């Protein structure tokens, strides 16, 4: 009896019968030191049996860890094949859970990383590994096998302690000139596998014991050796079976003529085949499935003697039994071409019967074998779209190659059928959205996923419904539907959290559950519900730890860092970034796409430390993917502000305007637009201009606080300080995050210094220091001019807060002033009535007209003009108007209105 270790080592190796023929000379060839051995010969030559014998007979010390990989009709792509290999590595203990999920993620979307990934796994194991590959190159999709074989050659070239023994019927890339150029390769053909005279004799004694010690044995042995085709193992076994039967029925026949016996037996077999409909129908029905166990064969055929019939088919050479993992039933695998021919030959009594068979096979493949992609194919053939949706949710995420294969299958379906099933419509839309050529078609399926999902969601279990809501929130996000996306996300989140904490949850949903949590969090972020978004990302991090998806834990902390960055809590952002383990990123995820959020967060951190060159270098990694990254608004904002921090505010302004024009659409979310407007206003200030005054948005948009604050600077620059105060008050009420409060306090400094509103300059200094000290938020300090800084420090010192002033001075030293706003000394502080008088003075030079329009006496106007002239340092109307324009109190496009010649003015107006 095999030890548990030996049994694990021989998982998936075909069972050997007691009548197997020992072939020591060939086994010795497999023991050789060459890294690649190819067994290429027609069917029936004993390739699989030979590899199984070698696997059983050779000690683990000699061959190392053994992995048997058989051709599988459920595998359709190169990535799918290597996913199975990684699964076998994991089952044998070569890969920990954490590493398995990381490496699977690495190859799922980037098949070109497969050789490097497998090499890394083997090198980490550090011990000899032998891969036995059965029926290589025999599947219908030869292109995928060519790619697999090229991967094998590259892996063997890089890893000296790895070996491959591959058996197949056709030549493959493993025998190519390139393979021979880089590897020592041993090729065993039909000639090598042919039975030797000694082996024929041993097989004769084993199969026909009646001839042992019989004088007729020598003649039979001579005849067997003289027939070339009989030197194939399968042919020889059939011939000996015929001989044994003949001797049992005619025991006294002298020197039987083997040729006559074989011809007669062949004729009887051909004549009997149409007369054996039971076996024929059983074969055709069960061949609809790539593999069958006894239970499935019984379900498909309705026969209780299914095990006996499968045994008969094995004896006829129609297939072989494969042992599975411990505790699982063995499965019968038909010869590939025989299965295809038998399945095609099946004529069901009604189309519904064929759909029923495929439905049964789909459930068995998914529930017993765990082969979701193959199950989806059979569910599609069964036209069971509800089951297809069910399987898609439980096979998420599909590797990119498998997704493309499935997409081709969906393309053949009527579009109306897809539109009726929300998850199928969503999945199809996501595939179409990957290509610019098919993106227009994707939108109609996104709309179907959003609309139909709302109608049908009440009929599905709560977790399935919550997963759909979380993912559909992403659909609404892409469609720019801000209210409905937030509503879906908030409804989904508590159910998703409950599922994560539930040890009895359906583990097959873990993949799509992770995606639903992530999409829910992103939706809440773009809904500006930062508290709920943080909760969702913390949930994702906990869930990733639970299911050993360390790379998803990295994703969660990268997004947490971004949430804290946008909130203005740089201390918390850096803490989240520090929790990211670079070793946990799949290698293919380090290209600047999958780790884009981490890059964006680190760029903002660099900006906060006044390292704009570093920020721009980090962002440059995103350039190849910029068109497909959802967080384009944050990339645009930080890049433009980094350019401004370099002293290039005009260039930053141009970049932001150009990118916004290219990317903005009617589906751009309000929160993204508000962030872009805020960045534009800051850049306008840094460029020395007056920021455009924009509406601050509704109460549900927290970033409105910053727009209100910056609008206060706009009206201040336009010479209307009394209008700045209500805007500043609104900003203070709406401020909910450290960044909002910092921008609002900086605006307060500007208003306090450039108006006569009596604001507490030292109070704003305290707020700024509290935010820069408590949250390490410094990059907005660029909006404070040198004069603002001096005034702030002076106000703090004058109020007895010297320590706070010293700390704030240290913050100022890290961020150079970038604003070009006019200093208060060059902008006269006018009262509201003085500004009214100035405006009228630009329109008329008649004091009486001014008095009339203001409903005051002429003497009052004269007094106000004296005060106005004094503040402007002017002695004449022309000087006053010129200096008002220079100070930004009047627009140069509004010239003085000369109603009449100076000589016509009444004396009292002078």
């Amino acid at each position: 009896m095999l030890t548990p270790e030996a049994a694990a080592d021989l998982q998936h190796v075909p069972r050997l019968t007691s009548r197997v023929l020992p072939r020591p000379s060939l086994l010795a060839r497999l023991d050789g030191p060459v890294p690649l051995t190819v067994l290429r010969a027609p069917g029936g030559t004993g390739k699989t049996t030979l590899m199984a014998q070698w696997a059983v007979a050779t000690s683990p010390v000699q061959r190392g860890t053994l992995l048997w990989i058989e051709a599988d009709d459920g595998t359709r792509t190169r990535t799918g094949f290597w996913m199975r290999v990684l699964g076998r590595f994991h089952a044998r203990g070569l890969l920990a859970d954490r590493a398995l999920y990381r490496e699977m993620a690495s190859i799922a979307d980037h098949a070109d990383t497969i050789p490097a990934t497998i090499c890394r796994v083997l090198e980490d194991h550090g011990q000899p590994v032998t891969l036995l590959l059965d029926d290589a190159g025999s599947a219908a999709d030869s292109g995928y096998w060519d790619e697999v074989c090229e991967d094998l050659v590259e892996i063997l070239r890089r890893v000296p302690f790895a070996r491959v023994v591959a058996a197949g019927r056709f030549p493959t890339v493993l025998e190519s000139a390139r393979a021979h150029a880089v590897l020592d390769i041993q090729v065993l053909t039909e000639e090598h596998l042919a039975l030797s005279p000694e082996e024929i004799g041993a097989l004769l004694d084993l199969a026909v014991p009646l001839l042992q010690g019989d004088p007729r044995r020598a003649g039979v042995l001579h005849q067997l050796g003289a027939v070339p085709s009989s030197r194939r193992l399968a042919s020889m076994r059939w011939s000996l079976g015929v001989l044994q039967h003949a001797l049992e029925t005619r025991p006294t026949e002298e020197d039987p003529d083997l040729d006559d016996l074989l011809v007669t037996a062949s004729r009887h077999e051909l004549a009997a085949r149409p007369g054996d409909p039971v076996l024929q129908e059983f074969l055709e029905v069960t061949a609809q499935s790539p593999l069958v166990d006894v239970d499935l064969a019984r379900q498909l055929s309705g026969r209780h003697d299914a095990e006996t019939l499968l045994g008969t088919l094995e004896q006829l050479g129609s297939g072989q039994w494969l042992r599975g993992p411990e505790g699982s039933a063995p499965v019968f695998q038909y010869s590939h071409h025989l299965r295809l021919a038998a399945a095609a030959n099946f004529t069901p009594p009604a189309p519904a019967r064929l759909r029923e068979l495929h439905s049964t096979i789909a459930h068995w493949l998914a529930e017993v074998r765990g082969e979701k992609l193959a199950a989806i194919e059979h569910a599609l053939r069964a036209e069971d779209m509800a089951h297809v949706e069910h399987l898609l949710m439980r096979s998420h995420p599909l590797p990119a190659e498998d997704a493309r294969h499935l997409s081709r299958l969906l393309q053949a379906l009527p579009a109306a059928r897809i539109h009726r099933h929300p998850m199928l419509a969503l999945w199809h839309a996501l595939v179409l959205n990957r290509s610019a050529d098919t993106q227009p078609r994707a939108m109609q399926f996104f709309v179907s996923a959003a609309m139909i999902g709302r109608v049908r969601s009440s009929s599905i279990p709560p977790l399935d419904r919550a997963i759909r809501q979380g993912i559909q929130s992403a659909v609404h996000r892409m469609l720019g539907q801000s209210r409905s996306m937030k509503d879906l996300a908030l409804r989904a989140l508590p159910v998703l959290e409950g599922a994560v904490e539930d040890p009895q949850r359906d583990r097959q949903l873990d993949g799509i559950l992770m995606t639903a949590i992530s999409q829910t969090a992103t939706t809440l972020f773009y809904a500006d519900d930062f508290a709920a978004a943080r909760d969702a990302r913390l949930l994702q991090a906990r869930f990733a730890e639970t299911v050993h998806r360390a790379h998803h834990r990295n994703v969660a902390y990268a997004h947490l860092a971004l949430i804290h960055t946008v909130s203005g809590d740089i201390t918390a952002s850096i803490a989240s970034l520090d929790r990211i383990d670079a070793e946990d990123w799949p290698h293919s995820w380090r290209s600047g796409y999958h780790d884009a959020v981490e890059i964006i967060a680190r760029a903002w951190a660099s900006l906060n430390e006044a390292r704009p060159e570093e920020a721009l270098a980090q962002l440059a990694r995103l350039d190849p993917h910029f068109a497909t990254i959802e967080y384009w608004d944050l990339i645009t904002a930080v890049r433009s502000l980094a350019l401004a921090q370099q002293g290039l505010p005009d260039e930053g302004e141009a970049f932001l305007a150009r990118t916004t024009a290219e990317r903005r659409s009617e589906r751009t979310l309000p929160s993204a637009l508000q962030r872009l407007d805020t960045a534009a206003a800051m850049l306008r200030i840094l460029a020395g201009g007056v920021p455009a005054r924009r509406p601050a948005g509704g109460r549900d948009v927290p970033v409105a606080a910053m727009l209100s604050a910056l609008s206060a600077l706009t009206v201040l620059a336009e010479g209307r300080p009394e209008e700045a105060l209500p805007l500043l008050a609104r900003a203070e009420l709406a401020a909910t995050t450290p960044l909002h409060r910092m921008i609002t306090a900086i605006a307060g400094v500007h208003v306090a210094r450039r108006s006569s509103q009596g604001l507490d300059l030292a109070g704003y200094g305290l707020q700024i220091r509290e935010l820069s000290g408590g949250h390490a938020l410094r990059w907005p300090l660029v909006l404070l001019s040198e004069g603002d800084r001096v005034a702030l420090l002076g106000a703090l010192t004058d109020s007895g807060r010297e320590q706070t002033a010293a700390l704030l001075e240290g913050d100022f030293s890290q961020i150079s002033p970038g604003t070009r706003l006019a200093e208060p000394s060059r902008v006269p502080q006018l009262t509201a009535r003085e500004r009214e008088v100035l405006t009228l003075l630009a329109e008329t030079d008649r004091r009486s007209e001014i008095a009339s329009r203001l409903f005051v006496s002429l003497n009052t106007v004269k007094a106000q003009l004296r005060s106005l002239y004094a503040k402007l340092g002017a002695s004449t109307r022309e000087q006053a108007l010129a200096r008002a324009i220079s100070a930004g109190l009047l627009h140069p496009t509004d010239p003085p209105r000369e109603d009449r010649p100076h000589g016509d003015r009444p004396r009292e107006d002078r």
Side-chain angles (χ1 to χ4, degrees):
M1 184 175 178
L2 293 175
T3 65
E5 293 78 10
D9 211 33
L10 296 177
Q11 277 187 18
H12 307 286
V13 176
R15 293 188 310 189
L16 296 173
T17 67
S18 59
R19 299 173 63 185
V20 69
L21 174 70
R23 309 193 72 183
S25 60
L26 286 174
L27 293 174
R29 297 285 294 269
L30 297 187
D31 284 336
V34 296
L36 174 59
T37 297
V38 177
L39 308 178
R40 175 174 48 78
T45 49
K47 304 180 296 297
T48 300
T49 301
L50 180 65
M51 288 201 306
Q53 285 179 276
W54 183 80
V56 172
T58 311
S59 71
V61 175
Q62 182 178 351
R63 55 172 163 75
T65 302
L66 179 73
L67 297 174
W68 182 286
I69 309 292
E70 69 283 352
D72 179 1
D73 287 329
T75 300
R76 295 288 185 267
T77 62
R78 170 193 184 191
T79 304
F81 173 86
W82 287 109
M83 286 285 197
R84 289 178 59 216
V85 173
L86 286 174
R88 299 282 169 90
F89 282 157
H90 177 255
R92 294 301 323 283
L94 274 69
L95 267 180
D97 291 347
R98 184 171 179 169
L100 171 69
Y101 300 127
R102 181 187 67 225
E103 304 301 2
M104 281 188 164
S106 184
I107 69 174
D109 295 323
H110 301 276
D112 57 329
T113 66
I114 286 172
T117 298
I118 303 301
C119 288
R120 188 166 55 250
V121 171
L122 293 172
E123 288 164 354
D124 289 345
H125 178 56
Q127 300 295 322
V129 175
T130 299
L131 179 64
L132 296 178
L133 183 55
D134 190 23
D135 211 14
S138 300
D141 186 353
S142 59
Y144 115 67
W145 272 112
D146 286 346
E147 294 171 338
V148 167
C149 291
E150 288 173 355
D151 293 336
L152 287 168
V153 171
E154 182 62 19
I155 291 163
L156 292 174
R157 186 183 70 81
R158 295 192 199 178
V159 184
F161 50 82
R163 288 192 67 209
V164 169
V165 180
R169 285 167 283 177
F170 310 106
T172 67
V173 174
L174 295 177
E175 300 177 55
S176 66
R178 179 185 176 278
H180 278 282
V182 298
L183 294 175
D184 290 331
I185 301 175
Q186 172 181 229
V187 180
L188 303 181
T189 63
E190 182 178 8
E191 182 180 353
H192 298 96
L193 296 172
L195 294 168
S196 67
E198 293 77 12
E199 290 172 333
I200 292 174
L203 197 57
L204 176 62
D205 292 339
L206 190 65
V208 191
L210 291 174
L211 284 179
Q212 291 186 25
D214 193 304
R216 295 175 294 179
R217 180 181 182 278
V220 171
L221 189 59
H222 175 74
Q223 292 182 63
L224 287 171
V227 182
S229 63
S230 293
R231 296 182 66 193
R232 291 186 185 178
L233 191 58
S235 299
M236 179 63 70
R237 286 195 175 119
W238 182 76
S239 300
L240 294 177
V242 171
L243 178 61
Q244 174 71 7
H245 178 72
L247 292 177
E248 288 173 348
T249 56
R250 292 176 285 174
T252 59
E253 183 173 346
E254 295 183 3
D255 296 326
D257 188 317
L258 187 61
D259 286 338
D260 288 343
L261 289 174
L262 295 179
V263 171
T264 302
S266 297
R267 287 175 180 165
H268 280 295
E269 183 181 0
L270 291 173
R273 187 173 293 274
D276 188 10
V278 172
L279 190 61
Q280 187 72 17
E281 182 182 357
F282 178 83
L283 169 62
E284 291 174 356
V285 169
T286 55
Q288 301 297 322
S289 178
L291 299 165
V292 291
D293 62 9
V294 173
D295 287 340
L296 178 63
R298 287 178 182 144
Q299 291 181 61
L300 296 176
S301 66
R303 297 194 61 86
H304 296 292
D305 58 348
E307 186 169 13
T308 301
L309 293 174
L310 288 172
T312 302
L313 289 168
E314 180 188 29
Q315 292 174 7
L316 291 174
S318 301
Q320 60 189 354
W321 286 99
L322 303 176
R323 63 162 62 93
E326 185 177 358
S328 65
V331 293
F332 189 78
Q333 182 181 43
Y334 285 110
S335 167
H336 178 72
H337 292 91
L338 173 66
R339 188 184 78 80
L340 294 180
N345 197 46
F346 177 61
T347 305
R353 170 62 176 153
L354 188 58
R355 291 195 296 271
E356 179 186 331
L357 290 175
H358 284 299
S359 179
T360 301
I361 293 167
H363 282 278
W364 180 80
L365 286 169
E367 296 160 16
V368 177
R369 297 285 298 173
E371 297 178 10
K372 300 294 193 306
L373 183 61
I376 290 171
E377 288 193 40
H378 285 276
L380 285 171
R381 292 176 193 169
E383 300 180 12
D384 188 351
M385 295 304 161
H387 193 207
V388 173
E389 281 194 312
H390 176 87
L391 291 170
L392 272 174
M393 290 183 68
R394 285 156 179 80
S395 56
H396 181 85
L398 281 174
E401 286 188 318
D402 287 352
R404 286 192 291 270
H405 173 73
L406 182 54
S407 181
R408 289 192 291 270
L409 297 178
L410 291 178
Q411 295 284 357
L413 295 177
R417 187 177 297 171
I418 299 175
H419 280 296
R420 287 196 295 268
H421 299 274
M423 288 304 294
L424 203 56
L426 174 58
W427 190 89
H428 193 47
L430 292 172
V431 173
L432 292 174
N433 199 51
R434 292 176 183 172
S435 169
D437 296 334
T438 55
Q439 277 181 346
R441 291 178 53 210
M443 194 53 59
Q444 60 177 302
F445 290 99
F446 278 131
V447 173
S448 292
M451 299 300 293
I452 299 176
R454 192 158 54 236
V455 174
R456 296 167 57 94
S457 63
S458 61
S459 62
I460 59 177
L463 178 56
D464 284 43
R465 180 166 60 250
I467 288 173
R468 293 176 188 229
Q469 288 171 338
I471 294 175
Q472 284 166 3
S473 76
V475 176
H476 288 250
R477 196 171 71 239
M478 285 183 274
L479 296 175
Q481 299 170 352
S482 57
R483 291 185 181 275
S484 58
M485 75 177 192
K486 181 177 180 180
D487 179 61
L488 283 165
L490 289 174
R491 280 190 282 150
L493 186 56
V495 181
L496 298 177
E497 184 171 11
V500 168
E501 307 298 339
D502 182 6
Q504 304 301 318
R505 70 177 181 278
D506 183 354
R507 300 306 172 92
Q508 294 182 86
L509 288 171
D510 282 357
I512 199 165
L513 177 57
M514 184 75 72
T515 298
I517 295 170
S518 183
Q519 292 297 340
T520 297
T522 301
T523 294
L524 293 169
F525 173 81
Y526 269 101
D528 280 322
D529 191 339
F530 295 148
R534 280 194 295 269
D535 290 344
R537 289 299 176 189
L538 289 170
L539 175 65
Q540 181 184 8
R542 292 201 310 275
F543 186 42
E545 290 279 7
T546 301
V547 297
H548 309 292
R549 303 309 204 265
H551 54 295
H552 281 292
R553 175 183 172 277
N554 279 358
V555 169
Y557 282 114
H559 279 88
L560 276 168
L562 191 61
I563 293 169
H564 291 308
T565 295
V566 174
S567 301
D569 192 345
I570 305 300
T571 300
S573 176
I574 296 299
S576 295
L577 289 172
D578 288 344
R579 300 197 67 173
I580 294 174
D581 187 342
E583 293 301 314
D584 287 332
W585 285 122
H587 281 250
S588 64
W589 282 31
R590 302 173 187 179
S591 63
Y593 179 76
H594 291 287
D595 59 346
V597 172
E598 180 188 1
I599 293 171
I600 298 168
R602 292 194 185 279
W604 280 98
S606 297
L607 182 78
N608 193 65
E609 296 300 320
R611 297 197 296 267
E613 296 83 2
E614 182 179 294
L616 292 171
Q618 291 165 329
L619 295 170
R621 292 180 54 201
L622 304 179
D623 288 347
H625 316 288
F626 182 62
T628 58
I629 295 175
E630 184 171 9
Y631 295 94
W632 68 271
D633 56 310
L634 290 166
I635 300 172
T636 302
V638 69
R639 176 171 284 178
S640 57
L641 289 169
L643 288 169
Q645 204 176 71
Q646 278 189 316
L648 303 170
D650 295 328
E651 188 174 329
E653 233 186 334
F655 170 76
L656 186 140
R658 182 175 63 253
T659 305
T660 302
E662 292 171 354
R663 296 290 297 267
R664 180 174 180 165
S665 74
E666 60 183 9
R667 293 189 295 272
T668 305
L669 291 166
S671 59
L673 294 176
Q674 297 274 16
R675 279 191 281 270
L676 292 167
D677 286 346
T678 300
M682 291 182 182
L683 290 165
R684 190 86 283 273
I685 292 170
L686 295 174
V690 176
R693 186 175 179 185
R694 293 176 171 85
R699 288 175 298 174
D700 57 339
V701 184
V703 79
M706 291 193 290
L707 285 178
S708 293
L710 294 170
S711 294
L713 299 187
T714 299
V715 298
L716 188 67
E718 292 173 346
R720 303 194 307 276
E722 77 285 352
E723 295 180 30
L725 193 60
L727 287 168
L728 187 62
R730 178 179 177 180
E732 290 173 347
L733 287 173
T736 58
T737 70
L739 180 59
H740 300 157
R741 293 196 293 272
M742 174 69 88
I743 297 296
T744 301
I746 289 173
V749 171
H750 284 276
V751 174
R753 293 196 64 225
R754 292 164 179 84
S755 73
S756 57
Q757 304 296 329
L759 299 178
D760 182 7
L761 190 61
Y764 288 125
L766 286 171
Q767 290 181 39
I768 292 171
R769 173 53 203 163
E770 177 188 352
L771 294 164
S772 63
H775 302 286
L777 178 61
R778 289 185 288 272
W779 68 264
L781 297 178
V782 72
L783 293 172
L784 290 173
S785 68
E786 186 61 39
D788 292 327
R789 299 174 182 212
V790 170
L792 266 180
L793 297 177
L796 288 169
T797 302
D798 291 344
S799 62
R801 300 181 176 93
E802 292 84 357
Q803 185 176 1
T804 301
L807 294 171
L808 190 56
E809 186 175 14
D811 295 332
F812 288 158
S813 69
Q814 297 183 53
I815 305 292
S816 299
T819 180
R820 301 176 192 170
L821 283 179
E823 282 298 304
S825 59
R826 293 188 285 117
V827 182
Q829 304 301 302
L830 305 181
T831 66
R833 177 49 60 92
E834 287 170 345
R835 281 198 302 277
E836 288 180 307
V837 171
L838 177 62
T839 300
L840 292 174
L841 188 64
E843 297 179 4
T844 180
D845 58 358
R846 298 176 59 189
R847 298 178 185 177
S848 58
E849 183 177 343
I850 295 174
S852 174
R853 292 172 65 175
L854 292 178
F855 301 103
V856 296
S857 68
L858 183 60
N859 288 334
T860 300
V861 171
K862 290 179 180 179
Q864 291 168 344
L865 283 173
R866 284 194 297 271
S867 174
L868 176 64
Y869 282 17
K871 288 183 178 180
L872 292 172
S875 58
T876 67
R877 173 176 178 267
E878 288 73 18
Q879 283 182 345
L881 294 177
R883 292 180 182 178
I885 290 172
S886 176
L889 300 175
L890 284 176
H891 292 289
T893 54
D894 299 327
R897 196 181 78 195
E898 301 291 348
D899 291 328
R900 57 176 58 86
H902 291 290
D904 294 336
R905 287 180 292 177
R907 186 178 182 86
E908 67 270 21
D909 288 346
R910 296 176 183 172

